[in-house]
Amino acid sequence: MSVKEANILLGGPQGAGLETTAQILTSSLAYLGYGVLADREYYSNIKGRHSYIHARISAEMIPLSLSYPVEIVGAMDSETIFTHFEDLGDGGYLIYDSSTDNRTLSSIASMEPILKNRITERLKRLGVEAKVSSLVDYLASNGRAEIVALDFPSILDTFKKRFEPEPIQASRYVSSILVGAVCGLLDIDEEAVKYGVSRRFMKKEKLIEHNVFLVNYVADYIRENYGSPYKLDNSRLSLNEMLTVMGNDVVAMAKIVGGLRYQSYYPITPASDESFFIEAFERLEVDGDSIGGIVVFQTEDEIAAITSAIGASLTGARVATATSGPGFSLMVEGLGWAGHSEVPLVITYYQRGGPSTGLPTRGGQSDLLFTLFASHGEFPRIVLASGDHIEAFYDAIEAMNYAERYQLPVIHLLDKFLANSFITMGIPDFSKIYIDRGMIVEDGEDYRRYEFNGPISPRANLGSKAVMWYTGDEHDEYGHITEDPEYRIKMYNKRMEKLDLIDKEIDPEKRAVLYGDFSADYLLVGWGFVKGVAIDSINKLRSQGLNGAYLHLKMFSPFPSSYVKSIIGSFDSDRVILVEHNYLAQAGKIVAMNTGTIIDRMIVKYTGRPIYVNELIIGIRKILEGEMRVVLSYGA
Amino acid sequence: MVLKPSHYKSNVWIDWCPGCGDFGITAAMYRAFSELNLDPAKTVVVSGIGCSGKTPHFLNVNGVHTLHGRAIPFAVGIKLANPELTVVVNGGDGDLLGIGSGHFVAVGRRNIDILIILHNNGVYGLTKGQASPTLSKGVLTKSLSKPNIQDAVNPIALALASGYTFVARGYSMLAEHLKNLIIAGIEHRGTAFIDVLQPCVTYNDIHTVEFYRKRVYNLEDEGWSPDVKGEEQETNKKLLAAWEKSLEWGDRIPIGIFYRNTGISTFEDRLSEEIPIYKISPPSKQIISDEKGRTLIDREIFRKIFRDYIIIRKQER
Ligand SMILES: Cc1ncc(C[n+]2csc(CCOP(=O)(O)OP(=O)(O)O)c2C)c(N)n1
Ligand SMILES: [Mg+2]
């Protein structure tokens, strides 16, 4: 017996090695050719609060969505058991530390009281005492779950006797017990384990030896006592090389490939990892030779991040800044200056749960309207949203091209779900990548930065032979201030007409993509990270006889109005459903504003956790049965 | 060819109030730029918003008139992306020390090679005379309905505390002296700051030409030596002395160079240590694609650069 895919959840306190667990497993699985998508859920906290990794592993494809229930819950601590026991599917495997059998729910200090109360109520209803052993017995006796009880301290003792690691280090090996148990259940071979561990600890021979031993020791025990119930099919993916990356990494790689030379940032979750990544490659060394250099500049705040990026752009450097909601709020005045002064600039915007500090480490899509309307006055901007890691790679390069071609700010919208989830993906297709720097001139006689030459004036850079002026005031062709009413119309039009030009030049089918066809029974409309779960849910429902399609919105400004209108218009209005990670179903407002078509059915989620296939399917059914609005809430 | 001061004057009509101290500052810039024979195409004057913010339009060099308070970070981006440019910031006291004070402090920590000229008139000129961050408590200028209840920040002391390596004060009516300060500030490698006392004839009836004429004296005339020579101890000594001097305000107001330290690395130096090609090939100068628009990084280079992120699948035997 073997399986095509497996869903697993591994939980433990923040800072206790969960990330290491995920990295080792992902590398081992990628080595065997499997597709992996792993979401990281964590508190805004450095050490001690509950965090977990929720992953799908597939032998057939690169997974683009997650679902519950899972087949394996691996618990580093008792908080994980209490928090996630109902995430485990019937007959699934719970891996836990049997030395914590006497732990009671009330003694878990790190758990939020609100959740504690909820779980207490739940256990009461189930008639289960709020204690690890009782909960485990309940799961086992109902045949609900197979229990993999491992005595972590005694396993560590065996290990310590053999290797004598330094005492403080011993606890760091707990994550390898979990890795071992999962490897046993999935039957991941020793070679793959060795590969995964070696990659994680890169040349630290001792750590590699210790962890490989521990993982295999536990894995063998599991195989002997439980078999390998989720032995994975041989992978059918055709990729021979895979990137194992988070969304932050992918965007950083794209910016590096796409010629970024200046990135400014102020630290904020979930954006700063991208800047860190770029900084690690600032010398752009290939075989010891430098093929460029990237300045990554940590500024004093986000106002300086955007304004210094604008300054750098004026000199001709390819620039970007990366931030999240609170940072973008501070950038807004600078955004307007860039739009007004026609400055190429990319803002990579990772949405998280708002408003205010909101849910700093959780996901959301509630900033779409903000990005479209931020800053006073009217000016052209491009707002581009990516649906998955692969799209994000190409879009990040495209965003820089658009910014320079059209001389305007481009907001590249992403979210925490994408930023912090791990994926295995193929190496990008370089035939699809190009660099477009727009209209650049060097010579300087009587240069006019805003020459009336259609919407785009030839761009000379500060430092070229030209002398030029910039101002946030309304200006003449030279960039000097003017308040003349008739001139105002000309200059205003010149700026705004860029939107028409872009609308003409960029294919609407690139700006909105239909998955499925017009004959479908219903149409989902979404954007960003909704893409994967929407497509997967449609596929699931298709096997149940319901034929659906998904309209993926990618560019919100300028919006592909007639194309979207024609697609939505060909479905009955009660069969069109918005799916979004916000309260208002914001993309629906933009559709209405641009096409006159009001979509009044929606499935929304704003818990900060991703939308899962299991709940979206139910949501779709409810809407098709007549409900207008479904609010999803699955996930701890 | 040497460019005359008049060459640095643009043909835009200067719309400051007649008698405004900003004229003196601008004239000093024309003369300083001329003496340094700056190439207008390689010079950038960056300003914020206010009466002072209009300065770039009156100069015939590159001008970037930015946002209220943000001239410094714009200038920093320009300089870091193209270090061969001479970058001069002009800001008001509201601009640099009120809304933009965070940037004013941060730039000192970096010692980026730019000059910052503060148009210090004690008021928010362009918004009609409200108290600025350099107006002392108890002072009643023309537009205020009652004496100021906020106290003043000391620009010289703040610059010293923030790590500026050239700190000076000038007076807009002493054009020759100010011109020399501007030249010294531009020639200084590192962040240079000149606090320019600038009478506002329309809204500040306290700090008038008359007021300053009686009080201003030149530090140099009293044998002040601002320069740090060597040792760290010397740095602290000079800093403390400059700090103490910065407190002198009243019957006598010192102008001139308070402090100068040429021994601190610039941010550009620090970047070059991280990124060796930075000096020869800063961000603005790099070619990022071939003529056909192909990226410098192709599939093979990508595989090399990011090898730690690439997993090669186990070969089936
Ligand atoms: C964000 C923002 N807030 C307020 C203003 C309005 N404003 C314009 S100029 C100015 C004050 C200028 O004072 P100062 O910086 O001292 O320059 P001065 O006019 O005295 O040279 C203010 C508050 C603005 N332009 N932007
Ligand atoms: Mg002022």
Side-chain angles (χ1 to χ4, degrees), chain A residues 31 189 191 199 237 239-242 244 261 283 287 293 300 308 430 435 463 468-471 480, chain B residues 42 56-57 62-63 65 70 73 77 81 103 110 274 286 293 297 303-304 308-311 313-314 317:
Chain A
Y31 181 66
D189 66 38
E191 189 189 337
R199 279 191 78 92
L237 268 77
L239 301 170
N240 275 321
E241 285 178 313
M242 282 206 257
T244 54
R261 288 297 177 266
R283 294 176 181 219
D287 301 330
E300 58 272 26
S308 75
F430 278 76
I435 287 183
M468 70 204 78
W469 290 268
Y470 284 96
T471 174
H480 283 309
Chain B
K42 304 286 182 199
H57 297 287
N62 290 301
H65 178 191
R70 317 302 167 199
H103 310 304
R110 303 181 182 126
E274 300 288 318
Q286 292 181 37
I297 298 175
R303 291 178 70 246
K304 281 183 183 162
D308 289 350
Y309 293 83
I310 297 172
I311 288 185
R313 191 168 166 176
K314 175 179 173 181
R317 294 174 201 109

Side-chain angles (χ1 to χ4, degrees), chain A residues 543-613:
Chain A
S543 65
Q544 298 170 23
L546 255 183
N547 181 22
Y550 170 59
L551 177 60
H552 183 51
L553 302 175
K554 287 198 52 126
M555 195 180 283
F556 289 93
S557 170
F559 194 74
S561 307
S562 26
Y563 180 60
V564 168
K565 192 179 168 95
S566 73
I567 292 172
I568 296 176
S570 62
F571 287 82
D572 291 339
S573 65
D574 61 351
R575 302 259 131 179
V576 181
I577 311 164
L578 294 161
V579 184
E580 299 190 51
H581 278 281
N582 57 57
Y583 183 94
L584 293 172
Q586 296 186 3
K589 310 277 181 216
I590 300 309
V591 170
M593 181 181 110
N594 284 288
T595 68
T597 308
I598 291 172
I599 307 174
D600 54 8
R601 283 159 173 76
M602 59 193 74
I603 300 171
V604 294
K605 185 170 186 179
Y606 39 89
T607 61
R609 280 63 171 174
I611 297 177
Y612 305 109
V613 174

Side-chain angles (χ1 to χ4, degrees), chain A residues 333 376, chain B residues 16 20 22 48-54 66-70 91-99 118-134 198 200:
Chain A
E333 197 190 9
H376 54 285
Chain B
W16 286 319
C20 176
D22 286 339
I49 297 293
C51 295
S52 47
K54 294 186 178 178
T66 71
L67 293 165
H68 192 29
R70 317 302 167 199
D93 37 16
D95 211 43
L96 292 175
L97 299 175
I99 192 166
L118 170 68
H119 297 229
N120 184 352
N121 57 8
V123 290
Y124 281 30
L126 198 59
T127 48
K128 300 193 182 302
Q130 299 85 352
S132 91
T134 57
Q198 175 236 325
C200 168

Side-chain angles (χ1 to χ4, degrees), chain A residues 3-8 55-59 71-72 186 230 232:
Chain A
V3 297
K4 285 193 285 219
E5 69 166 47
N7 300 283
I8 66 176
R56 173 183 289 187
I57 303 156
S58 169
E71 287 91 47
I72 300 172
L186 301 181
Y230 304 113
L232 290 161

Side-chain angles (χ1 to χ4, degrees), chain B residues 46-174:
Chain B
V46 187
S47 68
I49 297 293
C51 295
S52 47
K54 294 186 178 178
T55 309
H57 297 287
F58 309 140
L59 280 114
N60 202 13
V61 301
N62 290 301
V64 187
H65 178 191
T66 71
L67 293 165
H68 192 29
R70 317 302 167 199
I72 290 175
F74 272 84
V76 163
I78 291 167
K79 182 71 183 180
L80 293 187
N82 189 348
E84 80 172 30
L85 300 176
T86 299
V87 179
V88 178
V89 170
N90 282 76
D93 37 16
D95 211 43
L96 292 175
L97 299 175
I99 192 166
S101 53
H103 310 304
F104 183 84
V105 169
V107 73
R109 294 162 46 216
R110 303 181 182 126
N111 203 30
I112 292 169
D113 187 13
I114 61 174
L115 167 64
I116 298 169
I117 299 175
L118 170 68
H119 297 229
N120 184 352
N121 57 8
V123 290
Y124 281 30
L126 198 59
T127 48
K128 300 193 182 302
Q130 299 85 352
S132 91
T134 57
L135 194 70
S136 300
K137 181 156 63 64
V139 174
L140 179 66
T141 48
K142 221 160 151 182
S143 292
L144 305 186
S145 57
K146 53 182 180 1
N148 189 16
I149 60 167
Q150 304 194 52
D151 218 332
V153 68
N154 179 335
I156 299 283
L158 184 61
L160 292 168
S162 305
Y164 286 70
T165 49
F166 176 105
V167 180
R169 181 184 285 141
Y171 174 40
S172 63
M173 300 298 146
L174 294 177

Side-chain angles (χ1 to χ4, degrees), chain A residues 6 9 248 275 369 402 434 470 499:
Chain A
L9 186 150
N248 287 136
S275 299
L369 297 178
Y402 291 156
Y434 66 98
Y470 284 96
L499 286 172

Side-chain angles (χ1 to χ4, degrees), chain B residues 196-229:
Chain B
V196 183
L197 306 172
Q198 175 236 325
C200 168
V201 290
T202 305
Y203 296 112
N204 193 332
D205 49 350
I206 305 290
H207 302 103
T208 58
V209 173
E210 189 63 15
F211 174 92
Y212 286 125
R213 187 172 41 220
K214 283 192 245 150
R215 293 169 168 84
V216 162
Y217 76 95
N218 195 342
L219 281 169
E220 235 177 307
D221 296 343
E222 308 214 333
W224 183 262
S225 76
D227 289 297
V228 175
K229 301 184 190 82

